[in-house]
Amino acid sequence: QVQLVESGGGLVPAGDSLRLSCAASGRTLSRYVKAWFRQARGKEREFVAAISSSGGPTYYANSVKGRFTISRDNAGNTVALQMNSLKPEDTAVYYCAAGPTWSQLISSERGYNYWGQGTEVTVSS
């Protein structure tokens, strides 16, 4: 059974940085696309960033481009999200996800079949 466990969330003031991590267990997901999504209270879950299985191509939502960086460590079966210049509108529960294919679905929840439980990020103004 695959488990994805996120960590690193917290409460920070606007302008600060946070680094989220997601570790996979149960089986190796080194060949899977990894991504981060987020869900703010009262809103639908939205795509944040994705990284290919090779760690090469990445893709970001416009709202975070230039501020967030996704990376992965295949040896460790982990994926990270470095979040800089945080804004109050970044407040959300952040989820990591894993899916088998780098395709047109990388920014859609339908492209992923493994999900973590989420870690909460709160950015104060």
Side-chain angles (χ1 to χ4, degrees):
Q1 183 177 355
V2 174
Q3 278 192 317
L4 298 176
V5 180
E6 302 94 338
S7 61
L11 170 63
V12 295
D16 259 24
S17 299
L18 273 178
R19 183 177 178 85
L20 306 182
S21 293
C22 174
S25 64
R27 61 174 282 193
T28 180
L29 295 179
S30 60
R31 295 186 178 183
Y32 276 61
V33 174
K34 301 284 180 57
W36 290 92
F37 286 73
R38 67 186 181 187
Q39 186 169 21
R41 186 170 299 181
K43 295 187 178 180
E44 293 185 353
R45 188 153 56 182
E46 64 175 4
F47 170 79
V48 175
I51 188 166
S52 68
S53 58
S54 68
T58 56
Y59 184 67
Y60 295 91
N62 287 335
S63 59
V64 306
K65 199 173 296 183
R67 300 188 298 123
F68 291 11
T69 302
I70 188 171
S71 60
R72 66 186 295 160
D73 172 9
N74 281 339
N77 217 18
T78 62
V79 61
L81 185 68
Q82 177 66 41
M83 305 186 295
N84 299 328
S85 303
L86 283 162
K87 305 175 181 180
E89 51 263 45
D90 294 318
T91 295
V93 177
Y94 284 71
Y95 300 89
C96 71
T101 309
W102 184 265
S103 71
Q104 60 187 6
L105 292 179
I106 57 170
S107 61
S108 168
E109 292 183 53
R110 292 181 294 140
Y112 301 90
N113 46 3
Y114 297 113
W115 292 86
Q117 293 300 306
T119 185
E120 189 164 6
V121 172
T122 303
V123 184
S124 61
S125 57

